[in-house]
Amino acid sequence: MTDQPASDATAAPELFTWEFAADPYPAYAWLREHAPVHRTRLPSGVEAWLVTRYADARQALADPRLSKNPAHHDEPAHAKGKTGIPGERKAELMTHLLNIDPPDHTRLRRLVSKAFTPRRVAEFAPRVQELTDRLIDGFAERGEADLIHEFAFPLPIYAICDLLGVPREDQDDFRDWAGMMIRHGGGPRGGVARSVKKMRGYLAELIHRKREALTAEAAPGEDLISGLIRASDEGEHLTENEAAAMAFILLFAGFETTVNLIGNGTYALLTHPEQRRRLQESLAAGERGLLETGVEELLRYDGPVELATWRFATEPLDIGGQRIATGDPVLVVLAAADRDPERFAEPDTLDLARRDNQHLGYGHGIHYCLGAPLARLEGQSALATLLTRLPDLRPAAEESELRWRGGLIMRGLRTLPVEFTPAEPISGKDDQGSTM
């Protein structure tokens, strides 16, 4: 790839290789010091600016001159359709929160924000705990597991499906489609696009069925899709495409971030035994304060979202002393900003008790992650339950054997093999005989 020459004679590090994916932080440290706003050619062929310092990142995330709408991208022919989720254009799923600006963004965000209020999330906590325990029951007696495939991945999928109102008998289909997205997220886009197309068809049918049920004056659902339909029918001007796109992006963005939070967070604890011991002692004493600050620190230290989603300059502007031209793509590197020594003391040290921790793991400004309260709940439940029920959890693979998914936006492990002393299950099967 082609990188803009740095200001000194030292060559910029190579970005977005498999070696870089395993540990991007040294390269990001170099960029923060030598080229904090850096133009590079991405593996897709798109040229974009990378913003790596904390102060610049906060500015860019909240700057209204940086649009989320891909229509503002002055894209060359070779970059056509490569700045978003594969398949979303053909599937007519573009009108979601990651691709729009005010006033449409304000209108759509208002419609779904009530699903993620602290009260609503607190009411959902027992279901998250139930899912957590049942997933652990699925492998507890074996004494070994792949925590990504068997735990971190299915937990948020089933949780977000419940929240949206996807019937239990259909949720395994969503698990399959989501798995295709994760497996191919850093590789061929065709696999992701096919899954997006299948998900779009299902969501259109589900919205139609729920609208018919509401029209027939059946018992109104309390799920998010039913809420979107009611809002549309009550004059909120929500089109069917907007409703489908909203459900789609909540599924797409709502599961992989939590997969990576649980996976990255567990791995960080396993490789920092003193921090893990402190957290286990705190949990054993019935205290949750260290768990809460600990999840925030894990989000900062090795968070699930490496780069914020795409932004496009609507007019010329300066970021960090660098001139950005109209139409240029800008990618804020959250992973770099959250280890900026100008903002965080000892940024490369994992400190679960860190208090001054205004990290950017869930963004900043009007596009701050809507599902952050739910993701925090899932992360806290998953980590606390794992460490309590499987207290001697340990890696079953060397660090050099682990592989990180290559991709632009997300950061997460492909697998996380672990071993532990076998434990008794604590919950039974449901009426359908599945673990869910």
Side-chain angles (χ1 to χ4, degrees):
M1 70 192 64
T2 302
D3 289 321
Q4 175 186 307
S7 57
D8 63 11
T10 306
E14 191 172 4
L15 306 176
F16 307 117
T17 63
W18 290 111
E19 293 76 14
F20 170 86
D23 184 10
Y25 297 104
Y28 288 149
W30 190 97
L31 289 177
R32 278 196 311 267
E33 181 176 356
H34 299 287
V37 182
H38 178 66
R39 187 175 177 88
T40 189
R41 184 185 296 274
L42 304 171
S44 64
V46 177
E47 292 192 2
W49 294 96
L50 304 180
V51 180
T52 56
R53 288 180 179 169
Y54 183 91
D56 296 335
R58 275 181 63 96
Q59 173 200 333
L61 290 171
D63 195 322
R65 296 171 296 178
L66 291 175
S67 170
K68 298 291 291 176
N69 190 339
H72 291 290
H73 182 200
D74 186 15
E75 58 182 353
H78 72 272
K80 192 73 174 177
K82 294 182 178 180
T83 58
I85 300 170
E88 64 178 358
R89 295 192 188 202
K90 288 185 178 180
E92 298 183 341
L93 291 171
M94 291 289 289
T95 53
H96 57 68
L97 292 176
L98 296 185
N99 284 341
I100 57 176
D101 304 314
D104 285 336
H105 177 271
T106 307
R107 171 176 60 89
L108 293 179
R109 188 176 175 105
R110 183 181 67 247
L111 288 176
V112 297
S113 60
K114 58 189 174 184
F116 297 100
T117 62
R119 180 186 64 82
R120 184 75 181 272
V121 170
E123 291 173 350
F124 200 56
R127 174 58 177 162
V128 171
Q129 186 62 53
E130 177 190 6
L131 288 169
T132 300
D133 281 320
R134 290 194 177 188
L135 287 168
I136 293 176
D137 283 350
F139 54 79
E141 293 179 292
R142 292 205 321 261
E144 62 179 11
D146 172 7
L147 281 187
I148 302 300
H149 177 71
E150 298 182 74
F151 184 64
F153 172 65
L155 173 58
I157 278 290
Y158 291 126
I160 198 71
C161 280
D162 278 356
L163 193 69
L164 286 168
V166 176
R168 297 277 174 89
E169 62 269 22
D170 295 342
Q171 292 184 7
D172 283 337
D173 288 335
F174 273 87
R175 179 174 175 168
D176 291 342
W177 297 329
M180 181 68 72
M181 292 176 185
I182 281 191
R183 285 192 297 274
H184 294 283
R189 294 166 69 86
V192 181
R194 285 192 293 274
S195 294
V196 169
K197 183 177 180 181
K198 290 178 181 178
M199 194 176 286
R200 173 65 173 91
Y202 175 84
L203 287 172
E205 179 186 348
L206 181 62
I207 289 170
H208 178 71
R209 293 205 315 260
K210 287 181 177 289
R211 173 167 273 127
E212 282 190 332
L214 289 171
T215 302
E217 297 183 355
E222 295 301 318
D223 58 88
L224 182 52
I225 291 180
S226 294
L228 291 173
I229 294 170
R230 282 196 298 271
S232 176
D233 292 345
E234 291 168 7
E236 284 283 0
H237 310 296
L238 184 73
T239 68
E240 181 181 313
N241 277 346
E242 287 175 333
M246 183 68 69
F248 164 74
I249 202 59
L250 289 172
L251 278 162
F252 189 89
F255 84 88
E256 191 171 3
T257 52
T258 308
V259 174
N260 295 345
L261 168 58
I262 297 170
N264 298 4
T266 302
Y267 182 63
L269 292 173
L270 293 180
T271 53
H272 293 79
E274 178 60 25
Q275 293 292 309
R276 169 199 170 159
R277 182 189 61 78
R278 291 178 60 195
L279 180 54
Q280 286 179 307
E281 290 176 351
S282 173
L283 292 170
E287 301 170 356
R288 293 187 62 86
L290 191 62
L291 176 65
E292 293 171 359
T293 60
V295 166
E296 298 309 305
E297 175 68 346
L298 294 168
L299 285 163
R300 183 202 68 82
Y301 180 78
D302 197 12
V305 184
E306 190 165 341
L307 284 74
T309 49
W310 296 86
R311 285 165 167 78
F312 308 95
T314 59
E315 61 183 77
L317 71 151
D318 291 326
I319 303 176
Q322 182 68 59
R323 192 67 168 173
I324 310 296
T326 301
D328 277 359
V330 174
L331 290 167
V332 177
V333 188
L334 306 179
D338 279 344
R339 291 210 189 186
D340 188 343
E342 293 295 316
R343 176 59 184 84
F344 299 99
E346 299 184 50
D348 295 321
T349 298
L350 180 69
D351 178 8
L352 299 184
R354 190 185 295 268
R355 293 288 181 179
D356 182 17
N357 196 1
Q358 295 297 313
H359 63 77
L360 301 176
Y362 285 125
H364 174 65
I366 64 169
H367 290 283
Y368 182 83
C369 178
L370 190 64
L374 178 60
R376 286 186 168 102
L377 169 66
E378 292 171 340
Q380 290 177 18
S381 176
L383 294 173
T385 308
L386 274 177
L387 294 179
T388 301
R389 292 189 57 187
L390 309 175
D392 64 345
L393 191 71
R394 56 194 179 273
E398 297 295 328
E399 181 179 359
S400 60
E401 297 176 309
L402 297 176
R403 294 291 178 268
W404 295 80
R405 290 193 301 274
L408 192 62
I409 302 300
M410 299 294 182
R411 173 166 173 77
L413 286 161
R414 290 176 178 267
T415 61
L416 182 55
V418 294
E419 298 172 336
F420 47 87
T421 300
E424 291 291 327
I426 64 172
S427 60
K429 305 285 187 180
D430 63 13
D431 291 340
Q432 296 178 348
S434 79
T435 57
M436 292 300 105

